[in-house]
Amino acid sequence: MLSYRHGFHAGNHADVLKHAVCVHVGRYLTRKDAPLLFLDTHAGAGLYDLGTPEAEKTGEYRAGIGRLMPRAPNVPDLLRDYLELVHAANGDGMLRTYPGSPSLIMSLMRPQDRAVFHELHPADAARLAALAHGRRRVHVDRSDGLRGLNDQLPPPERRALCLIDPSYEIKTDYTLVAAAVARAWKKFPGGIYLWWYPVIDRSRVLAMEAAIRAAGIRKTYKVELCMSPDTPERGMTGSGLFIVNPPFTLPDAAQAALPWLAETLGADGPVTAGWLLPE
Ligand SMILES: C[S@@+](CC[C@H](N)C(=O)[O-])C[C@H]1O[C@@H](n2cnc3c(N)ncnc32)[C@H](O)[C@@H]1O
């Protein structure tokens, strides 16, 4: 049932886009002293060894983070903090390890913040629990992340950054996720939601956009980076994120970074940064 393992894909172009945006938004939110909940609904294993057979089998990280690391620190603002955290995860600067969203989030957390990581796959959940072991105010939950999103909002902190990053293994995931985000937003309209999607079949992306409009989720920004043009063939050509309630810094940072990122990664598909629904 759960056949997706993020270890095959860690550090690819989709991770680069998602994690750069996540770190940018998280850094902005942690400027204010008030406590923050980080809720990662589909957390994965947390940290990836790029020398494993899984990572080497696809080699996806080479065409993603592998192309960015040599360019640091001369990178657009959107990528700077993210690349610093990837460097920090690789003491001597050689790219051997890739930090997944829980690692990046734990690096951003201050003592007053809290994190909840949902992960259903038993092996990845065990690795994540080991990584988070001994961390204060970090909880690894081996239950369904979409249910967690519903159950934990609104949080006592009254501030939350929610990363919704499913593997979309089953076609119905698209509609389930859209419904879960709409429900969460209705319960907690002030939350910041980072909702990742793959571009495999453009009609599914359009359906998610229609669901956002139908639910009336205002203030939704969209960034998308595709490595190749849309195609009816199988396979992921790119990915994007819907960001609900982004910090005011995100649009300028994303617009400045995307053309650079597209060139550096050799992308020649659609590249978008703009409001889906403004305020
Ligand atoms: C794309 S990966 C997550 C990557 C991670 N967020 C990161 O950026 O490093 C999706 C993960 O969701 C897990 N998963 C699948 N269905 C789930 C569910 N209903 N609830 C929680 N986790 C789930 C999968 O096992 C997989 O590890």
Side-chain angles (χ1 to χ4, degrees), residues 2 4-6 15 18-19 40-46 48 98-102 118-121 124 141 143-146 163 165-167 169 196:
L2 281 175
Y4 180 92
R5 305 299 302 279
H6 197 65
D15 264 7
K18 167 179 64 189
H19 293 154
D40 190 345
T41 59
H42 298 71
Y48 301 92
Y98 186 77
S101 51
H118 286 269
E119 174 52 51
L120 269 190
H121 194 288
D124 283 355
D141 196 320
S143 70
D144 176 30
L146 296 182
L163 174 62
D165 183 23
S167 35
E169 281 176 83
W196 182 85

Side-chain angles (χ1 to χ4, degrees):
M1 166 71 177
L2 281 175
S3 57
Y4 180 92
R5 305 299 302 279
H6 197 65
F8 287 93
H9 311 289
N12 70 1
H13 59 86
D15 264 7
V16 165
L17 180 70
K18 167 179 64 189
H19 293 154
V21 171
C22 185
V23 170
H24 177 89
V25 175
R27 266 278 146 79
Y28 178 87
L29 293 173
T30 52
R31 280 198 218 158
K32 194 171 157 184
D33 281 345
L36 177 71
L37 167 68
F38 290 93
L39 176 54
D40 190 345
T41 59
H42 298 71
L47 190 67
Y48 301 92
D49 176 350
L50 297 176
T52 58
E54 300 96 79
E56 288 297 351
K57 182 169 180 209
T58 62
E60 287 183 20
Y61 74 89
R62 290 203 183 86
I65 187 65
R67 290 203 183 181
L68 291 195
M69 285 283 272
R71 306 291 297 270
N74 302 315
V75 298
D77 285 349
L78 181 76
L79 297 153
R80 195 159 297 125
D81 287 348
Y82 156 66
L83 282 179
E84 266 177 25
L85 294 181
V86 180
H87 263 281
N90 289 278
D92 60 3
M94 290 285 291
L95 182 61
R96 294 195 182 89
T97 302
Y98 186 77
S101 51
S103 292
L104 296 169
I105 287 170
M106 287 192 284
S107 304
L108 294 173
M109 284 176 75
R110 304 150 311 161
Q112 65 269 43
D113 298 328
R114 191 164 61 93
V116 178
F117 301 135
H118 286 269
E119 174 52 51
L120 269 190
H121 194 288
D124 283 355
R127 285 176 54 201
L128 181 56
L131 184 71
H133 182 72
R135 293 290 305 232
R136 287 186 62 243
R137 302 170 70 77
V138 174
H139 176 62
V140 175
D141 196 320
R142 299 175 190 205
S143 70
D144 176 30
L146 296 182
R147 176 167 293 180
L149 186 67
N150 184 57
D151 292 350
Q152 288 165 79
L153 299 182
E157 292 88 349
R158 312 298 301 176
R159 298 175 78 221
L161 171 54
C162 307
L163 174 62
I164 301 121
D165 183 23
S167 35
Y168 298 94
E169 281 176 83
I170 310 165
K171 295 235 162 40
T172 50
D173 281 353
Y174 290 88
T175 45
L176 284 176
V177 176
V181 175
R183 202 166 48 238
W185 179 80
K186 282 205 175 75
K187 285 181 79 175
F188 185 43
I192 290 92
Y193 302 92
L194 306 186
W195 170 12
W196 182 85
Y197 63 85
V199 180
I200 298 169
D201 171 351
R202 178 61 64 183
S203 70
R204 296 201 179 277
V205 180
L206 295 176
M208 287 189 280
E209 293 179 8
I212 289 173
R213 291 199 178 89
I217 305 178
R218 317 292 310 168
K219 222 177 157 196
T220 299
Y221 198 73
K222 175 186 163 183
V223 295
E224 188 178 295
L225 175 67
C226 294
M227 304 308 288
S228 48
D230 294 357
T231 164
E233 322 256 298
R234 280 170 62 85
M236 181 172 90
T237 53
S239 70
L241 286 160
F242 300 118
I243 306 108
V244 181
N245 297 319
F248 80 95
T249 50
L250 182 69
D252 283 353
Q255 275 162 28
L258 277 182
W260 185 93
L261 201 50
E263 196 191 325
T264 306
L265 299 183
D268 75 345
V271 176
T272 318
W275 290 101
L276 194 65
L277 275 186
E279 199 141 17

